[in-house]
Amino acid sequence: MATLDSTQALAGATVPTARTRLDLSTPVMVLFTAALCVLIVLPLGWLLVFAFRDQAGRATLANFQRLLTDPTFVEPLLTTFTIAGSVSLACGAIAAPMAWLVARSDMPARNAVRIIVTASFVTPPFLGAIAWELLAAPNSGLLNQAWRAVTGAPSEEALFDIYTLTGLIFVVCCYTFPYVFVLVANALERVPGDLEDAAAMLGSSRWRTARRITIPLALPALLAGLLVAFLQAMTLFGSPAILALPAGFHTITTKIWSLFQYPPKPELAAAASLPLLVLTVVLLRAQSAILGRRSFAVVGGKGAAPRLVGLGALRWPALALCLALLCLPVFLPYGALVNAAFSKVPSQLLTLDRFTLRNFVFVFSEVSATKLAMKNTFLLGAMAATAGALMALVIAYLTSRAAGRGHRVLGFLAMAPIAVPGIVLGVGLFLAYTRPPFVLYGTLWILLLAYITIELPAAYQQMQSAFHSVHHELEEAGRIFGATRLRVLKDVTGPLLRSSLVATWCFVFVAVVRELSAAVILFTSQTKVLSVLIFDLKESGDLAAIAVLGLSMLVLTALVIVAANSLLGGGSAARLRNN
Amino acid sequence: MTPRSPSRRQLLKAAGAAAVVGGLPARVLSAAPPAVSATPELIAAATSEGKLNFYTAMDLPVAEKIAKAFEAKYSGIAVRVERSGSERVFQRIAQEMGSGIRNVDIVNTSDAAHVIVWKRNGWLAPFVPSDVAAHWLEQYKDPDGTWATVRIYLSVIAYNTNLVAPGDVPKSFAELLEPKWMGKLVKGHPGYSGTIMTATHQMARDLGWGYFEKLAGQKVLQVQSSTDPPKKIALGERAVQVDGGDYNVFTHKQQGAPVEVVYASEGSPTISSPNAIFAGAVNPNAARLFQCWLCSREGQQFLVDTTGQYPAHGEAKAHPSRRPLSQIKLMREDPVEVEAKADEIKARYTSIFKV
């Protein structure tokens, strides 16, 4: 292997003085593959074992037979597909135009809109669902009260009923559409301006340019976004856990959760998770077939930023539309939470008479689990984000640059957890880590493993798409000058990807703070996290306490993200971008 | 996970319950240890442990009030309240015990069947506070000293006085099946709440499962904990609760919420909620001291005064604004049968209400 002279400059990157001779990518890949095997194969292996056996431990197919014939399983499965399909389409219809307005038009306050969308992503789905209960419960919901006050409708009538399938689909959409938005907005921004300019110079109309250049380049991101939305909605536990029970139905995730009530039936739960696993694998194959046919490396060593499209008189109406849409996931729910946090009665609008700080006193000085849950949550968030982002960086590098024979296996392993609902992975981890060789249940470590495993696919996807957008010619330049692959990763690709890496860190941190489905299986009284505490409070309907705890959690999360961006992300502090 | 086969102790318990229920003179040899009071030695040992893990299904504000009162009385012992519905507490303890995690010191469950299972598993440490020995009715304590009832309450119908006109107030469970209550009812779930599990057993026995089948046609808002229906009617989200703790309705009323209790003409399900100390407790002396305090006249009176629940202590005075139990038609509690039928009750309920 060639050596690198320490005095040589390397494609604008700083070059350390140490000489590097070995290409470590193969051992690193072996190490990561082994680590992922333990992380993923162990819990999934136990799940498979449990899916094919009965309570006495004998091999059987009875679990699947029951799954396909018992209506209490078939109905939740069908309900789940209805929800996931509706959510995916609705998210695409809302997020794609909004992403275009933010990324490619001269709409005013575009960055503010982007930040607010990110804020809605930060909202845990269970908290959003609770906020929407405050807003749209048929009788006590603030919106329904307002509607009755304005129209004089009788007290039995309601404009909205959140305790329905439609209500649940709506709430899931509110907190899933940012996934699609972020993917599409970033793809649109990466469309090279010179291609569009060339088309325009050759006489192409604006619409024709959009149809032939912009849309084809952004389409894979949209399809990927729809897929992510489908998968998110299919495997979501938080919102259904809040709304499905009062609405009188189960989704597959809440059904699985109910199977762990006493007496636990992990065999059936494992079997119930396999259809989700199979379907996810099929969908991911479809996605890679769509994305795989073309090259989408559009950030090279050359190229121009895309041109913004002037909206003219439509600029302000476009902003009004965006803000109106953002009322649904952000302004209204947060308003309802603030109202509940400071009000004596959560379903009444805050007035001076009704103002109280009692709820804060209760949560912070009386609820004895608050402090511990806060500490656990933020400690785990920071640890999982750091480990997850670094792992994603290395794995994405190895797989996107096809640096070794095992890269397909590694990529598959990194993506595999996306196919497993958090609650099922929680059970798999529970089965795996309550027995030798790793007895971790009851410690924070099992939660850390769960979080890293669950968030790795998203982190990996983000880093991989970041790698895809950096053309390899820059790295090839480094390699030609004699740097090893890891050296190039550190000195060329790494700095180019720094903002992506910070964004991935934030992404994982936020996702950990709002994670409920695995934590709800894996926590013990000593390792309780905020999401589980809120879930417990929801069981007994302590809405004001939930509002206080949820808002505090979000404020602290926001502070951490701002700090991370300003410390590490250079000038991108104001723009958390999940690219 | 835990064996449910009947054992000698279960039969003893069954005999005890039968004695309660049928008034039979069933005297059995007691394996209970000598009664203990809060001696300076116990206080010193508890204080040196410094903390206590209290698993409970009590409404969280109530549980935290009790914890704070205990902390105020015995400074230096921090009480951590682990609150969720009894059926989830039961599952949690089974999961932790099954994994060798010793975390629970003392538990309060609203499903009295749970102590039967825990005792049979050998998980409970016998401990008899002197007040329990002196002032408890036989029906409210284990002859072997592994548990003692610390609070008694009812699952009741209740309504929002703004939403139900005085003439429309339902007087019985049967009336809740009338078409006018369609979409206006809320109830808890026996898969989460021990109160509702106990109540569902009594209602299914006395009214028949057919009652629940008809009730499921009323578009009932299904919540989890028995502490939630009172909150839902206080908010005005639903007009009437089918079940839920009477003391929760009482505390809401104390705070000015427009809610009122109904004692159904068929009888109100009765819940006696026991405390038990775990044999593997990390803080055994703190658990014993807490049990002594909560079972003392002072502790029982605190519970009555702040929450309106009925005391187990013979000398504690019931809350003046609560109707005495002797003047209420009650359904009969039967923990032994709840223990035997718990899984069947959950399965049947789920098939009727779809959740």
Side-chain angles (χ1 to χ4, degrees), chain B:
Chain B
M1 267 183 195
T2 47
R4 276 184 177 259
S5 59
S7 68
R8 192 183 67 86
R9 285 190 168 179
Q10 189 194 358
L11 294 178
L12 288 180
K13 176 68 185 74
V20 169
V21 165
L24 300 170
R27 297 302 304 170
V28 289
L29 282 177
S30 169
V36 174
S37 56
T39 58
E41 292 77 31
L42 180 59
I43 295 169
T47 312
S48 77
E49 286 165 1
K51 55 187 183 336
L52 176 69
N53 292 322
F54 176 39
Y55 285 34
T56 182
M58 255 182 260
D59 196 22
L60 185 63
V62 171
E64 296 287 6
K65 261 189 209 115
I66 290 170
K68 290 291 173 288
F70 176 73
E71 285 174 353
K73 168 101 181 174
Y74 300 104
S75 60
I77 305 171
V79 181
R80 265 278 305 289
V81 174
E82 171 74 24
R83 193 270 156 204
S84 63
S86 287
E87 304 307 316
R88 284 188 66 209
V89 168
F90 188 67
Q91 187 265 346
R92 171 126 307 278
I93 288 176
Q95 188 165 316
E96 294 188 355
M97 294 296 281
S99 311
I101 294 170
R102 299 275 178 272
N103 195 43
V104 53
D105 294 320
I106 188 166
V107 68
N108 170 260
T109 176
S110 53
D111 181 344
H114 290 165
V115 289
I116 299 175
V117 178
W118 291 329
K119 185 182 171 188
R120 187 195 307 147
N121 292 348
W123 291 354
L124 300 182
F127 178 73
V128 182
S130 48
D131 279 88
V132 170
H135 301 293
W136 253 243
L137 293 175
E138 292 299 324
Q139 71 200 74
Y140 293 134
K141 59 185 176 186
D142 176 25
D144 297 329
T146 59
W147 56 265
T149 297
V150 295
R151 56 194 185 110
I152 297 144
Y153 60 100
L154 308 177
S155 167
V156 291
I157 297 174
Y159 63 98
N160 182 310
T161 53
N162 293 338
L163 298 175
V164 179
D168 286 340
V169 172
K171 293 171 190 64
S172 64
F173 288 114
E175 279 181 48
L176 298 180
L177 302 178
E178 288 171 11
K180 67 176 173 183
W181 299 118
M182 170 80 83
K184 297 192 170 177
L185 305 175
V186 56
K187 78 183 294 306
H189 194 294
Y192 303 87
S193 163
T195 304
I196 306 297
M197 167 59 86
T198 309
T200 303
H201 165 256
Q202 294 173 41
M203 288 168 71
R205 182 195 58 202
D206 293 3
L207 310 177
W209 278 104
Y211 178 75
F212 287 107
E213 279 157 17
K214 290 180 203 126
L215 191 66
Q218 290 284 62
K219 287 171 67 180
V220 177
L221 177 64
Q222 180 71 66
V223 296
Q224 294 167 295
S225 170
S226 63
T227 65
D228 200 4
K231 288 168 192 161
K232 289 286 182 281
I233 59 168
L235 286 178
E237 179 46 45
R238 288 294 187 270
V240 177
Q241 71 173 36
V242 180
D243 50 23
D246 61 344
Y247 74 97
N248 309 104
V249 179
F250 171 78
T251 47
H252 281 289
K253 197 180 165 187
Q254 295 282 90
Q255 290 159 14
V259 287
E260 196 57 68
V261 162
V262 173
Y263 299 106
S265 59
E266 297 95 335
S268 297
T270 318
I271 290 95
S272 62
S273 169
N275 261 26
I277 296 172
F278 270 71
V282 186
N283 308 297
N285 292 304
R288 289 177 196 134
L289 185 60
F290 183 77
Q291 182 75 336
C292 280
W293 176 76
L294 193 58
C295 293
S296 69
R297 194 186 308 177
E298 178 193 340
Q300 288 279 297
Q301 200 63 54
F302 178 81
L303 197 69
V304 170
D305 294 346
T306 52
T307 70
Q309 295 178 84
Y310 299 99
H313 197 297
E315 291 188 348
K317 289 190 175 57
H319 200 285
S321 58
R322 299 301 311 278
R323 190 186 292 188
L325 283 178
S326 57
Q327 294 173 23
I328 302 170
K329 184 175 180 188
L330 302 175
M331 287 187 179
R332 180 175 51 83
E333 192 182 8
D334 187 350
V336 175
E337 207 179 282
V338 172
E339 199 274 316
K341 290 190 171 171
D343 298 344
E344 185 197 324
I345 291 171
K346 281 184 211 171
R348 196 143 180 193
Y349 189 93
T350 302
S351 76
I352 291 172
F353 285 94
K354 305 290 176 211
V355 286

Side-chain angles (χ1 to χ4, degrees), chain A residues 198-209:
Chain A
M201 274 185 273
L202 291 170
S204 168
S205 68
R206 192 187 283 179
W207 165 236
R208 190 178 157 85
T209 307

Side-chain angles (χ1 to χ4, degrees), chain A residues 139-140 262 366 525 539-540, chain B residues 2 64 80 85 231 237 346:
Chain A
N139 299 302
S140 59
Y262 196 89
E366 290 178 20
S525 157
E539 186 201 283
S540 49
Chain B
T2 47
E64 296 287 6
R80 265 278 305 289
K231 288 168 192 161
E237 179 46 45
K346 281 184 211 171

Side-chain angles (χ1 to χ4, degrees), chain A residues 275-481:
Chain A
L276 300 186
L277 186 78
V278 171
L279 187 74
T280 309
V281 170
V282 169
L283 288 170
L284 289 174
R285 288 249 149 194
Q287 182 208 22
S288 72
I290 295 163
L291 288 173
R293 268 187 280 144
R294 300 171 196 161
S295 167
F296 296 101
V298 286
V299 179
K302 52 199 178 289
R307 225 166 276 283
L308 297 183
V309 176
L311 294 175
L314 290 174
R315 289 175 73 219
W316 291 99
L319 178 63
L321 178 70
C322 283
L323 293 179
L325 282 171
L326 286 175
C327 279
L328 305 178
V330 185
F331 301 131
L332 285 172
Y334 282 91
L337 287 174
V338 169
N339 186 70
F342 290 100
S343 183
K344 283 176 187 156
V345 181
S347 65
Q348 289 176 354
L349 268 187
L350 194 55
T351 57
L352 272 181
D353 296 351
R354 292 176 190 150
F355 177 87
T356 179
L357 290 173
R358 178 80 196 88
N359 303 321
F360 284 82
V361 173
F362 176 65
V363 166
F364 289 105
S365 81
E366 290 178 20
V367 178
S368 48
T370 304
K371 211 172 115 192
L372 184 77
M374 287 250 172
K375 198 186 92 191
N376 286 340
T377 303
F378 287 96
L379 184 67
L380 283 166
M383 286 164 71
T386 307
L390 291 176
M391 281 176 75
L393 173 72
V394 176
I395 296 170
Y397 175 75
L398 291 171
T399 57
S400 67
R401 295 304 187 245
R405 259 181 240 125
H407 69 277
R408 275 176 190 281
V409 178
L410 193 59
F412 174 79
L413 283 174
M415 284 308 292
I418 204 174
V420 191
I423 193 158
V424 177
L425 190 68
V427 178
L429 288 165
F430 176 76
L431 296 171
Y433 295 114
T434 42
R435 62 195 76 216
F438 307 106
V439 184
L440 298 178
Y441 179 65
T443 68
L444 286 178
W445 296 109
I446 193 167
L447 285 163
L448 181 66
L449 284 182
Y451 291 145
I452 291 175
T453 314
I454 291 169
E455 302 313 332
L456 190 60
Y460 167 68
Q461 257 184 342
Q462 290 188 44
M463 290 315 299
Q464 201 191 28
S465 95
F467 272 104
H468 274 308
S469 67
V470 174
H471 203 286
H472 15 121
E473 65 200 13
L474 298 176
E475 292 165 21
E476 280 155 8
R479 295 278 285 156
I480 288 163
F481 280 111

